[in-house]
Amino acid sequence: MEDCTSSSEQDYYCSDQDSLDGIDNDESHVQWVPPKASSCKVITKESLLAAQREDLRRVMDLLSLREHHARTLLIHYRWDVEKLFAVLVEKGRDCLFAGAGVTLVENHDLPSSSTIMCNICIEDVPGADATKMDCGHDFCNNCWTEHFIVKINEGQSKRIRCMAHKCNAICDEAIVRNLVSKRHPDLAEKFDRFLLESYIEDNKMVKWCPSAPHCGNAIRVEDDEFCEVECSCGLQFCFSCLAEAHSPCSCLMWELWTKKCHDESETVNWITVHTKSCPKCHKPVEKNGGCNLVSCICGQAFCWLCGGATGRDHTWSRINGHSCGRYKEDREKKAERAKRDLYRYMHYHNRYKAHTDSFKLESNLKETIREKVSNLERNELRLKDFSWVTNGLYRLFRSRRVLSYSYPFAYYMFGDDLFMDEMTKEEREIKQHLFEDQQQQLEANVEKLSKYIEEPFDQFGENKVMEIRMVVINLSVITDNLCKKMYECIENDLLGSLQFGIHSIAPYQSKGIEKATELSVCWNPKVTNTEKCPTRDYHTNGITKESNRPSGSGSLDESGCSSRKRPRKESTIDLNLPAEVIDRN
Amino acid sequence: MVDFARVQKELQECNKDIDVSGISIKPKGDNLTHLAGTIPGPLATPYEGGTFNIDIILPDGYPFEPPRMQFATKVWEYQAGNNETLKGLLVTTLYIASISVYTPAMLCSVALLHMVLTRHPNISSQSGAICLDILKDQWSPALTLKTALLSVQALLSAPEPDDPQDAVVAQQYLRDYQTFAATARYWTETFARTSALGVEEKVQKLVEMGFPEALVRSTLESVGGDENMALEKLCSG
């Protein structure tokens, strides 16, 4: 391990030495760029209407429709405007409308003064008390109201069909609202809320933030649902599965892993493999060596082979007065297998756990680092910029996180559970070596970075501080690159080569998990307040004092990393702690 | 609240052309929430010649919620040990009639027998529940009890075994249509054919089941000639 680090470190020193200034700029760049428009948006209660309007407006403009028709179309096509337009081009306007239950019969005859016969209550009612829907069906207002109430209570308010048999038309929401509010104002409100929330409920690209207690927000992503986002409430999660952010594990891997860690199946496994229950007191007994005669702490002696109670007299090869069958071979194999699986799991789990624990310890560094920086500032050194400390710390958190999640990934990637049939044994071995190589490099550098950041450099002299600064900056770049490479390797060489593309991971983001920005609603003054939210982190961290430097030019660091290209947000310092750490803080 | 004015009108409307449609709806008891409908078995089907009773319960939201309809169940009540011969007879009769839906052992184990006497893939032979879209999500307030019953009648002539309510019956329908049709016809003739038979035929049928002729005649008389009710009475006797 030691060899490996020093050699790789040397490499990086050589190659990076001359471009040191550039790196320096890059590092500051990470931090000083003001947030650009993010591809993820936070949708609050206030901006929900505006978010919906955007899509409604597009459809209304293109098809010159009224709002409720546009909404009906969009609900039917699950708010997928592109798909809606595709159907329009492919099948035409009439088919599009018929499929969604939109009927445009513009025969708005004035309400006839004569009476009409309502086919529902079978009564004659004055024309003024009846309503004709767009589909041309005319019933009395009482019956319409009853119908709407029943449907809203059934939870079908998003698509209330006309009362006529086999009429597929969806009722005009204005009429529904109008009639229902006369009798049940609260129900009309419920109806409105259902329509509004349909934008979230029926939309693949919008999901409720999984925070508990619920923050009331929803998150909208642009083109890719495999991403990790941070809601304005601070919760970071995987948009695809709504669990904590877990890349480079795929959602399925993470689900299996958390389940495995939670249930005690492994413990039970261990007990069945390593112990036998005593025939007298039924406690599990572990054999600690010697021959097959074992005695329990309760004093009972029994045969380790068959578990039967015996006397105490024995030789090395047999127990007096006791004989039992031989080992059954398949049982032995099974036990072997269980033992191997258990060791394998323990290997990965121990490392996963170790890195998560380091995480927790390192998160305490925030405080000490802050102190160190203020000490250094007091020391009146020539060096005035201490952003490298913060950046280094940030990089440490980020890489540590990647590292810890890489273990469950490896457990499933190279285990028998998921991809048994997809790779030959040889392929698997090659890939495993490739991956473990990268993992080890990353691990070594992360540990090194951690060590340097924990040094009491505020007590050191100027030269020593400069030296540490150089190392920290270098290591930051190295770990970032290694993370980037690991993700690339996973996306392209490991998961990418699989037959069934069910495993997708959120791409690596050098700057940490993307913070969703508030959806800008120009006419809503409330939003201007909330838009300040992301900057709040600055102050709470308290370590980004000189945060107003102008941003540098583009650099290798800015590109983040992913085989997939997507717009990325440059965010402020972002400590991506795992959920349990956040909970504790 | 059920719209009773409309139900009243529906009943009048329906019973007006009872001669044409053969469909009747009558209130069961005092209020109009529980009704009894009858439909004639469609021609050229195993149900031809039978008259089928449908239990109708109107939910509070009627007509904005669909009516609950199911085929009436026949209930035989007998006490185990009370009349072993009759019990045995009943069990044999039902066993033959149902052909493998119930085993004799199953029949013997119950003291109260609920039997749906219409054999059809979309009708549960246990509860009489009908699998019909317009009685569920495709219901429209513009439909009426009569149109719903007409749809049930149409279902009798065109079963949909791919969307079955009763898997056993549906399988038989698909695999062995002959046996299915024969059983359905037997059930229709035995249990749903009340008015069509003459008195002598009814007597003969009940005597064939093993009841004494004199008892059969007096029982039939006491129930006004209804064969099923007579059978019921004989069994529980």
Side-chain angles (χ1 to χ4, degrees):
Chain A
M1 185 66 89
E2 196 50 49
D3 290 347
C4 163
T5 27
S6 51
S7 70
S8 64
E9 180 197 320
Q10 228 109 58
D11 287 348
Y12 278 102
Y13 269 96
C14 299
S15 57
D16 288 331
Q17 204 82 49
D18 39 5
S19 61
L20 211 55
D21 288 342
I23 292 167
D24 205 354
N25 279 344
D26 296 338
E27 283 302 299
S28 38
H29 182 220
V30 173
Q31 216 180 324
W32 316 130
V33 172
K36 282 183 199 159
S38 160
S39 60
C40 301
K41 298 283 185 209
V42 178
I43 299 174
T44 59
K45 276 195 198 87
E46 290 76 27
S47 57
L48 177 55
L49 187 66
Q52 213 185 66
R53 279 270 157 75
E54 278 174 31
D55 287 351
L56 284 174
R57 182 64 56 193
R58 281 175 73 191
V59 174
M60 284 158 72
D61 289 348
L62 187 87
L63 292 162
S64 49
L65 284 176
R66 284 192 287 153
E67 183 177 316
H68 77 270
H69 284 137
R71 184 161 10 232
T72 306
L73 280 177
L74 277 166
I75 289 176
H76 188 78
Y77 287 100
R78 300 187 68 79
W79 295 94
D80 191 339
V81 181
E82 303 310 321
K83 186 170 173 201
L84 192 154
F85 288 168
V87 173
L88 176 71
V89 172
E90 216 171 279
K91 297 191 176 153
R93 200 179 154 96
D94 291 342
C95 186
L96 177 78
F97 286 4
V102 172
T103 20
L104 297 171
V105 190
E106 300 292 343
N107 52 349
H108 287 289
D109 347 327
L110 294 166
S112 46
S113 51
S114 60
T115 58
I116 68 138
M117 180 26 195
C118 171
N119 266 327
I120 306 295
C121 54
I122 323 185
E123 302 274 357
D124 289 327
V125 290
D129 291 342
T131 303
K132 189 183 257 181
M133 281 295 159
D134 292 337
C135 53
H137 293 113
D138 203 355
F139 300 107
C140 83
N141 286 345
N142 273 341
C143 288
W144 276 124
T145 314
E146 281 294 335
H147 177 62
F148 297 151
I149 289 172
V150 166
K151 288 294 166 190
I152 294 172
N153 282 332
E154 275 175 15
Q156 294 188 21
S157 44
K158 282 176 238 164
R159 297 174 55 78
I160 301 182
R161 285 186 316 180
C162 166
M163 283 197 282
H165 183 45
K166 294 201 167 151
C167 178
N168 196 30
I170 306 297
C171 294
D172 185 334
E173 61 190 62
I175 297 177
V176 177
R177 190 175 301 125
N178 191 13
L179 287 177
V180 172
S181 62
K182 277 181 195 155
R183 209 181 300 177
H184 282 291
D186 47 330
L187 211 59
E189 251 169 56
K190 196 168 155 190
F191 170 72
D192 272 336
R193 212 185 58 233
F194 277 141
L195 281 187
L196 213 53
E197 288 181 356
S198 147
Y199 184 74
I200 297 167
E201 307 273 350
D202 303 333
N203 195 335
K204 203 173 71 179
M205 303 313 267
V206 180
K207 279 179 186 163
W208 290 110
C209 169
S211 56
H214 186 42
C215 62
N217 295 342
I219 301 288
R220 184 177 73 192
V221 298
E222 290 307 317
D223 5 274
D224 192 351
E225 49 183 317
F226 290 104
C227 63
E228 292 170 345
V229 289
E230 182 183 321
C231 176
S232 60
C233 73
L235 186 79
Q236 299 179 334
F237 60 98
C238 166
F239 186 81
S240 173
C241 70
L242 298 179
E244 68 175 274
H246 53 67
S247 71
C249 271
S250 73
C251 296
L252 179 61
M253 288 173 177
W254 184 246
E255 192 194 330
L256 292 172
W257 181 258
T258 41
K259 209 171 148 226
K260 198 172 181 66
C261 293
H262 280 148
D263 69 17
E264 290 202 325
S265 59
E266 293 297 339
T267 320
V268 174
N269 242 348
W270 191 89
I271 289 175
T272 42
V273 174
H274 294 271
T275 72
K276 278 209 169 63
S277 46
C278 164
K280 188 177 167 200
C281 68
H282 301 292
K283 280 201 184 78
V285 176
E286 187 187 7
K287 183 158 137 56
N288 55 2
C291 69
N292 282 326
L293 178 80
V294 250
S295 57
C296 174
I297 45 167
C298 72
Q300 174 66 49
F302 63 97
C303 166
W304 183 252
L305 297 187
C306 67
T310 64
R312 304 188 144 271
D313 291 339
H314 69 287
T315 64
W316 187 253
S317 54
R318 58 187 310 273
I319 302 165
N320 256 5
H322 173 79
S323 69
C324 61
R326 300 184 201 294
Y327 268 131
K328 285 192 182 83
E329 205 184 331
D330 63 325
R331 213 177 109 200
E332 196 184 350
K333 268 186 191 157
K334 224 165 134 188
E336 275 300 312
R337 212 194 119 110
K339 196 164 141 192
R340 212 183 54 227
D341 284 352
L342 177 66
Y343 282 148
R344 189 165 178 277
Y345 168 72
M346 271 161 50
H347 170 88
Y348 286 105
H349 186 262
N350 286 344
R351 279 153 188 80
Y352 164 74
K353 192 90 182 42
H355 285 296
T356 323
D357 289 346
S358 299
F359 231 157
K360 288 175 201 167
L361 291 173
E362 282 161 358
S363 64
N364 298 333
L365 275 176
K366 271 195 284 179
E367 271 305 312
T368 44
I369 285 284
R370 202 175 305 172
E371 258 170 53
K372 282 185 202 170
V373 169
S374 49
N375 283 346
L376 282 174
E377 275 167 351
R378 243 176 282 136
N379 284 354
E380 311 235 326
L381 302 170
R382 271 185 292 123
L383 181 69
K384 291 291 176 213
D385 175 17
F386 297 109
S387 60
W388 56 273
V389 184
T390 341
N391 286 333
L393 184 67
Y394 154 71
R395 185 55 55 206
L396 176 63
F397 286 135
R398 182 82 202 120
S399 322
R400 188 68 88 182
R401 186 188 177 93
V402 171
L403 202 51
S404 64
Y405 291 118
S406 76
Y407 281 101
F409 169 81
Y411 177 78
Y412 286 109
M413 187 72 224
F414 310 112
D416 294 338
D417 294 0
L418 291 176
F419 307 117
M420 179 83 144
D421 308 327
E422 297 233 20
M423 293 180 277
T424 63
K425 220 175 152 198
E426 291 74 31
E427 274 175 339
R428 185 152 83 182
E429 241 165 60
I430 295 169
K431 286 178 175 182
Q432 187 166 356
H433 283 311
L434 180 74
F435 180 78
E436 282 174 352
D437 220 41
Q438 296 192 335
Q439 201 180 26
Q440 266 175 30
Q441 276 191 42
L442 178 61
E443 195 161 29
N445 283 291
V446 167
E447 296 303 345
K448 244 174 127 71
L449 182 61
S450 173
K451 182 183 144 228
Y452 277 100
I453 287 200
E454 285 186 53
E455 294 258 3
F457 48 75
D458 50 332
Q459 317 292 334
F460 296 167
E462 173 126 33
N463 287 345
K464 192 87 199 261
V465 173
M466 285 306 276
E467 207 175 287
I468 289 185
R469 168 178 173 268
M470 205 60 80
V471 175
V472 167
I473 289 175
N474 261 332
L475 285 172
S476 300
V477 176
I478 290 166
T479 48
D480 187 27
N481 277 329
L482 286 172
C483 287
K484 210 179 288 180
K485 271 196 199 147
M486 184 190 269
Y487 270 67
E488 265 168 10
C489 165
I490 290 172
E491 279 191 24
N492 302 332
D493 302 331
L494 301 179
L495 293 176
S497 64
L498 297 174
Q499 251 181 316
F500 307 104
I502 51 160
H503 293 268
S504 302
I505 61 166
Y508 178 64
Q509 300 196 16
S510 175
K511 315 294 184 302
I513 286 171
E514 184 167 359
K515 281 192 177 115
T517 51
E518 297 277 341
L519 191 77
S520 53
V521 198
C522 36
W523 43 267
N524 190 341
K526 271 184 193 167
V527 183
T528 44
N529 292 332
T530 41
E531 207 140 32
K532 286 176 191 156
C533 279
T535 52
R536 208 176 33 204
D537 287 15
Y538 266 83
H539 309 300
T540 47
N541 288 327
I543 33 176
T544 54
K545 299 229 164 110
E546 302 175 36
S547 56
N548 289 322
R549 273 176 51 163
S551 61
S553 54
S555 63
L556 64 139
D557 201 40
E558 187 199 11
S559 65
C561 155
S562 161
S563 50
R564 277 177 270 184
K565 293 289 165 225
R566 65 167 80 202
R568 208 158 281 121
K569 197 194 114 186
E570 331 295 311
S571 67
T572 55
I573 185 159
D574 174 26
L575 308 175
N576 292 303
L577 303 175
E580 56 255 57
V581 178
I582 290 169
D583 287 347
R584 221 155 288 167
N585 291 349
Chain B
M1 199 52 202
V2 182
D3 183 351
F4 288 117
R6 159 161 160 162
V7 178
Q8 200 72 53
K9 280 183 200 139
E10 273 194 51
L11 295 192
Q12 281 169 10
E13 198 64 32
C14 178
N15 294 335
K16 223 188 286 175
D17 59 353
I18 192 165
D19 296 336
V20 187
S21 65
I23 289 176
S24 77
I25 307 170
K26 289 187 192 75
K28 237 183 176 177
D30 300 337
N31 66 20
L32 283 172
T33 55
H34 198 171
L35 310 169
T38 56
I39 51 173
L43 300 179
T45 67
Y47 313 100
E48 179 176 352
T51 303
F52 296 89
N53 297 315
I54 313 279
D55 253 351
I56 306 171
I57 291 171
L58 301 181
D60 275 354
Y62 185 82
F64 302 97
E65 287 171 31
R68 287 197 270 279
M69 290 191 176
Q70 59 180 43
F71 276 76
T73 53
K74 216 36 170 182
V75 182
W76 281 278
E77 202 174 347
Y78 60 90
Q79 277 146 354
N82 188 13
N83 191 332
E84 280 303 323
T85 338
L86 280 180
K87 180 180 159 189
L89 266 174
L90 176 64
V91 166
T92 322
T93 314
L94 289 177
Y95 179 58
I96 294 166
S98 64
I99 306 189
S100 84
V101 170
Y102 301 99
T103 62
M106 273 164 71
L107 286 170
C108 285
S109 66
V110 288
L112 193 66
L113 258 180
H114 289 265
M115 282 277 297
V116 179
L117 302 171
T118 315
R119 205 169 156 75
H120 188 281
N122 303 105
I123 297 163
S124 160
S125 54
Q126 314 285 319
S127 67
I130 305 168
C131 186
L132 186 60
D133 58 351
I134 64 148
L135 293 178
K136 295 179 180 114
D137 55 329
Q138 293 301 304
W139 170 256
S140 143
L143 293 170
T144 62
L145 294 173
K146 187 183 157 190
T147 49
L149 286 175
L150 280 170
S151 297
V152 173
Q153 195 186 26
L155 187 69
L156 286 181
S157 37
E160 288 176 33
D162 294 327
D163 179 22
Q165 179 82 25
D166 193 307
V168 178
V169 181
Q171 257 181 19
Q172 192 184 51
Y173 182 91
L174 289 171
R175 292 200 188 138
D176 185 4
Y177 182 80
Q178 291 306 317
T179 313
F180 163 80
T183 319
R185 195 170 297 118
Y186 184 87
W187 282 32
T188 307
E189 274 163 18
T190 315
F191 303 113
R193 201 179 176 101
T194 42
S195 49
L197 290 176
V199 181
E200 285 311 309
E201 283 168 293
K202 288 181 198 164
V203 172
Q204 195 195 341
K205 216 164 151 191
L206 289 168
V207 170
E208 271 171 15
M209 287 183 191
F211 297 106
E213 190 175 333
L215 183 63
V216 169
R217 283 186 190 282
S218 65
T219 317
L220 261 177
E221 214 165 297
S222 71
V223 296
D226 186 321
E227 185 194 349
N228 282 334
M229 280 164 75
L231 181 62
E232 214 169 307
K233 209 167 173 192
L234 283 166
C235 287
S236 57

